[in-house]
Amino acid sequence: MKSICLLGSTGSIGLSTLDVLRLNQDRYSVVALTANKNIERLLEQCIEFKPAYVVVVDQDLAEVFNKKIEQSEAADTTVLSGIEALEFVAQLPEVDIVVAAIVGAAGLLSTLTAAKAGKRLLLANKESLVVSGDLLMSAVKEGGGTLLPLDSEHNALFQCMPDGYQTGQRAKGVRKLILTASGGPFLDLGLAELESVTVEQACAHPNWSMGRKISVDSATMMNKGLEVIEASYLFDMPADLIDVLVHPQSIIHSMIDYVDGSVLAQLGNPDMRTPIAHALAWPQRHESGVSPLDFMLNKQLSFEQPSFDKFPCLRLAFEALNMKGTAPAVLNAANEVAVEAFLNKKIRFIDISKLIEKVINNSTIKSADSIDSVLQADKETRMLSNQYLESF
Ligand SMILES: NC(=O)c1ccc[n+]([C@@H]2O[C@H](COP(=O)([O-])OP(=O)(O)OC[C@H]3O[C@@H](n4cnc5c(N)ncnc54)[C@H](OP(=O)(O)O)[C@@H]3O)[C@@H](O)[C@H]2O)c1
């Protein structure tokens, strides 16, 4: 039995992870679950999985939750609150596997803690790698644990790497990483049409069912940009050896182009339970609940170049990766503020990239050699972004 700490259990990745655990109850036990605000869903999960610990980050809601759980079948669960509690459960000695599925830079410190504690770290929270790439990869190395990517593209790349491959290394014989991208819901819209798209349209991804922030990121293609940065740190590859290829069907999840002309790809139905099951079971395999790929239903696999004009966020991400230092942290924080403002209908879809570009152009990029420098860049960028928001 392996014991699991699931950070962000109430989100889309959290739910998919619990689905896979449900199918493999003889292999896993749940030690800790965490949420921010969704205490109704968290209570249901506690009753079903009976974790020893649960974290409700919001302090007021934690008190409400405490009263509810005391009267439930999960009354033995210890309820904690606050950001420090996330770090506490991420390093518990009895935990073998930490699934990092909190959205945004809010997941940074708990992810780092799990890495330092030498856990098997299943990383969905791409923002933590974007914000603190070198620091997180060093923490994994020092902690002596294993980092396995859950993002479908990076999990696909990992699966196509040579036997015995560990993240953080440059694999021999790799010419390029090819990250596939669905292109999101606005792939076929013209620039002018993007001016009037709604929040509902941006959140309706054609192939994947995801949380609202990553859905908007997919629509702007910032998600792919963040993934380029994530891939660079995970696989030790520079930006110019990472290509993005639009593949609207989302059947090929990414590919590796080797120097001998071989291209290895991982294929499957677009369902996050596949990479989750892969990373949980690695180096073995077990059931995920995902139906087998039917080639007769997927006869057409097509590809096209992404447009930097239509999707400037992708260009901004490549530029931030090349700038290095705190540039990716600035990009990420400005994006989080911009997406939140778009979701709250304060700015238009096309303003997201404009705000991010303005913030980057007016920020001082520093060295990202400590967690304090990264957190400071994150804080200053959020303040600057909120200030600029008023002019939109
Ligand atoms: N969804 C996908 O298919 C997918 C695919 C690849 C990668 N990812 C990555 O996986 C991560 C999670 O994505 P998601 O789609 O699952 O997001 P989501 O559905 O929005 O869920 C986010 C989770 O994080 C928690 N959370 C939010 N703010 C928090 C805070 N300030 N402190 C602590 N916890 C907080 C939420 O709790 P409450 O629900 O209680 O608010 C929820 O459990 C993101 O980094 C995303 O980029 C997702």
Side-chain angles (χ1 to χ4, degrees):
M1 287 288 263
K2 296 282 181 206
S3 49
I4 312 271
C5 164
L6 175 49
L7 303 169
S9 64
T10 47
S12 166
I13 292 288
L15 295 182
S16 295
T17 303
L18 292 175
D19 270 353
V20 178
L21 299 183
R22 215 174 264 123
L23 267 184
N24 295 280
Q25 288 178 26
D26 51 332
R27 299 169 195 260
Y28 304 107
S29 66
V30 175
V31 173
L33 297 174
T34 84
N36 188 33
K37 291 187 186 296
N38 192 345
I39 55 174
E40 286 77 22
R41 184 173 276 171
L42 186 65
L43 185 61
E44 286 168 18
Q45 295 177 344
C46 288
I47 292 168
E48 181 179 357
F49 289 93
K50 308 264 178 345
Y53 297 93
V54 70
V55 179
V56 180
V57 176
D58 185 292
Q59 312 246 352
D60 295 336
L61 285 174
E63 282 178 32
V64 179
F65 183 80
N66 213 356
K67 289 190 186 119
K68 286 185 184 227
I69 203 169
E70 273 173 7
Q71 291 153 15
S72 79
E73 291 161 44
D76 290 343
T77 301
T78 301
V79 180
L80 306 168
S81 76
I83 296 170
E84 314 73 43
L86 293 175
E87 294 181 60
F88 173 76
V89 293
Q91 55 75 54
L92 285 167
E94 61 267 43
V95 165
D96 301 305
I97 300 174
V98 174
V99 181
I102 289 173
V103 63
L108 173 61
L109 293 177
S110 49
T111 303
L112 266 174
T113 300
K116 283 183 197 155
K119 304 298 182 192
R120 172 180 288 209
L121 177 57
L122 272 50
L123 186 71
N125 177 237
K126 66 189 84 185
E127 294 90 350
S128 60
L129 201 48
V130 169
V131 166
S132 70
D134 284 331
L135 296 168
L136 181 53
M137 296 313 292
S138 304
V140 172
K141 211 169 171 186
E142 282 160 29
T146 309
L147 172 56
L148 295 164
L150 285 193
D151 230 343
S152 58
E153 295 77 1
H154 307 77
N155 183 272
L157 292 172
F158 183 84
Q159 292 198 44
C160 295
M161 285 287 176
D163 272 356
Y165 177 79
Q166 291 211 328
T167 50
Q169 300 169 349
R170 174 84 60 93
K172 287 202 181 100
V174 172
R175 183 159 44 202
K176 277 204 165 191
L177 305 181
I178 305 170
L179 284 178
T180 52
S182 69
F186 304 142
L187 180 63
D188 297 323
L189 295 193
L191 265 175
E193 291 167 291
L194 286 179
E195 289 190 18
S196 55
V197 296
T198 63
V199 168
E200 291 69 30
Q201 288 170 312
C203 287
H205 195 282
N207 305 338
W208 298 92
S209 159
M210 308 181 287
R212 279 158 68 83
K213 191 256 178 187
I214 185 175
S215 295
V216 176
D217 284 348
S218 296
T220 60
M221 287 196 77
M222 177 58 93
N223 183 48
K224 208 49 54 181
L226 298 178
E227 287 177 8
V228 168
I229 300 174
E230 185 184 6
S232 173
Y233 287 114
L234 278 175
F235 303 110
D236 188 26
M237 292 291 271
D240 60 336
L241 297 185
I242 305 173
D243 281 353
V244 172
L245 188 63
V246 174
H247 163 49
Q249 297 81 17
S250 298
I251 294 297
I252 297 178
H253 298 303
S254 278
M255 301 181 258
I256 298 185
D257 178 5
Y258 283 94
V259 289
D260 62 2
S262 303
V263 177
L264 297 194
Q266 186 257 357
L267 287 73
N269 285 316
D271 189 320
M272 287 307 293
R273 291 176 299 173
T274 294
I276 291 167
H278 167 266
L280 281 168
W282 182 84
Q284 290 154 8
R285 295 201 183 245
H286 62 46
E287 289 289 333
S288 67
V290 177
S291 50
L293 183 61
D294 184 339
F295 283 94
M296 293 307 111
L297 288 177
N298 294 282
K299 288 183 186 168
Q300 301 286 335
L301 300 184
S302 60
F303 307 96
E304 56 190 274
Q305 285 296 321
S307 160
F308 279 6
D309 289 337
K310 208 158 89 180
F311 300 109
C313 285
L314 188 55
R315 168 179 57 79
L316 292 170
F318 269 103
E319 287 170 6
L321 176 56
N322 281 322
M323 273 189 251
K324 297 221 176 301
T326 52
V330 170
L331 173 94
N332 180 70
N335 181 55
E336 288 194 26
V337 173
V339 171
E340 180 76 17
F342 170 68
L343 286 170
N344 291 328
K345 305 193 177 170
K346 288 186 186 155
I347 59 172
R348 294 171 303 166
F349 181 77
I350 54 164
D351 295 330
I352 295 175
S353 61
K354 289 182 186 163
L355 177 68
I356 300 167
E357 186 149 24
K358 186 170 177 183
V359 171
I360 294 179
N361 288 343
N362 289 283
S363 296
T364 309
I365 304 306
K366 300 184 185 144
S367 158
D369 53 3
S370 70
I371 192 64
D372 286 344
S373 58
V374 164
L375 292 175
Q376 186 65 19
D378 180 83
K379 189 173 156 200
E380 286 172 7
T381 305
R382 284 170 201 272
M383 280 165 60
L384 192 63
S385 307
N386 279 309
Q387 195 183 315
Y388 287 161
L389 255 185
E390 288 167 23
S391 62
F392 278 85

